[in-house]
Amino acid sequence: KNQVEQSPQSLIILEGKNCTLQCNYTVSPFSNLRWYKQDTGRGPVSLTIMTFSENTKSNGRYTATLDADTKQSSLHITASQLSDSASYICVVSAMEYGNKLVFGAGTILRVKS
Amino acid sequence: GAVVSQHPSWVICKSGTSVKIECRSLDFQATTMFWYRQFPKQSLMLMATSNEGSKATYEQGVEKDKFLINHASLTLSTLTVTSAHPEDSSFYICSATFYEQYFGPGTRLTVT
């Protein structure tokens, strides 16, 4: 069973709308939780990195939240743009495995005009 | 800063041949580089961890004789897919560590 589960698997929204992507994880203990954006045919690009003591972190129109008690994180995208169309991947750095990254399967977001 | 490049960005090779993929950290020295493989609509899967000047550590199920990794300098790691087969067709991504992991743009390998 994947230790990092993301939902929804895919999502279509209209340009200008907001959306929230979910991430549940079982990796414990962990060093940090990251959200990456991966455009088709490209490598992942970091959006946010949070340690277990952080509850929220923003990067422009992206805001990530973390609840270490329930082992849940979310990524909120505000005022979506066509260029936000990509796969969004939740990644947990696992202390047990020498801080190796454990990847979620990603949420594919498509923003329509 | 913290730019990682890969070359080539895509490659097509015939079954049975070998292909080399380069991963470079352009503006920093990386003691550790990672190689990942990603199949369509799937997550990145770690293949191996490469430390400069030492042998790579492969994940379970990854054939070290098939996927040869050389980390000759602090800015360059190479992955050679030997005797490639169509099932090796995938998107290969490297990352380099400098306090943080920075990912390369990936290499699309197609084996015909």
Side-chain angles (χ1 to χ4, degrees):
Chain A
K1 188 180 185 329
N2 196 345
Q3 299 180 73
V4 180
E5 299 281 353
Q6 291 187 242
S7 62
Q9 192 172 37
S10 63
L11 182 62
I12 301 174
I13 62 172
L14 290 176
E15 186 178 14
K17 298 295 185 182
N18 304 335
C19 67
T20 300
L21 314 181
Q22 301 291 341
C23 174
N24 296 334
Y25 61 92
T26 58
V27 178
S28 181
F30 72 97
S31 298
N32 52 65
L33 185 145
R34 310 143 181 243
W35 283 92
Y36 286 90
K37 178 186 180 187
Q38 185 179 22
D39 293 310
T40 301
R42 306 292 293 175
V45 174
S46 179
L47 296 175
T48 63
I49 301 175
M50 291 183 291
T51 64
F52 70 90
S53 61
E54 295 180 286
N55 299 122
T56 184
K57 180 161 282 189
S58 293
N59 177 1
R61 293 181 296 103
Y62 302 102
T63 299
T65 64
L66 174 63
D67 186 333
D69 292 330
T70 61
K71 296 185 172 58
Q72 295 179 326
S73 176
S74 67
L75 180 69
H76 186 75
I77 304 175
T78 304
S80 61
Q81 301 175 359
L82 297 178
S83 59
D84 292 332
S85 296
S87 177
Y88 291 84
I89 307 173
C90 176
V91 183
V92 179
S93 178
M95 292 176 63
E96 181 181 358
Y97 304 115
N99 289 325
K100 283 182 182 174
L101 302 183
V102 182
F103 290 79
T107 292
I108 298 173
L109 174 65
R110 181 181 165 202
V111 180
K112 295 172 57 177
S113 58
Chain B
V3 177
V4 177
S5 71
Q6 285 185 237
H7 177 79
S9 55
W10 59 271
V11 58
I12 301 173
C13 70
K14 291 187 176 181
S15 186
T17 62
S18 296
V19 62
K20 180 185 287 186
I21 302 170
E22 291 186 350
C23 176
R24 292 181 185 273
S25 56
L26 298 185
D27 48 3
F28 66 98
Q29 293 184 328
T31 54
T32 303
M33 289 185 172
F34 300 87
W35 286 96
Y36 296 86
R37 181 167 50 184
Q38 186 178 31
F39 292 105
K41 296 186 179 181
Q42 293 188 25
S43 185
L44 279 72
M45 296 295 294
L46 179 64
M47 299 176 66
T49 303
S50 169
N51 291 297
E52 186 265 339
S54 62
K55 290 184 178 181
T57 301
Y58 292 81
E59 295 300 300
Q60 192 172 14
V62 178
E63 301 174 60
K64 61 181 181 181
D65 294 330
K66 181 170 183 61
F67 299 99
L68 301 179
I69 293 173
N70 187 311
H71 194 158
S73 75
L74 288 172
T75 60
L76 173 65
S77 176
T78 61
L79 168 68
T80 302
V81 183
T82 62
S83 187
H85 289 101
E87 57 264 31
D88 297 324
S89 298
S90 187
F91 192 53
Y92 292 86
I93 303 174
C94 74
S95 70
T97 301
F98 180 70
Y99 296 109
E100 180 52 65
Q101 272 198 47
Y102 298 93
F103 288 88
T107 296
R108 172 74 58 194
L109 170 62
T110 301
V111 184
T112 60

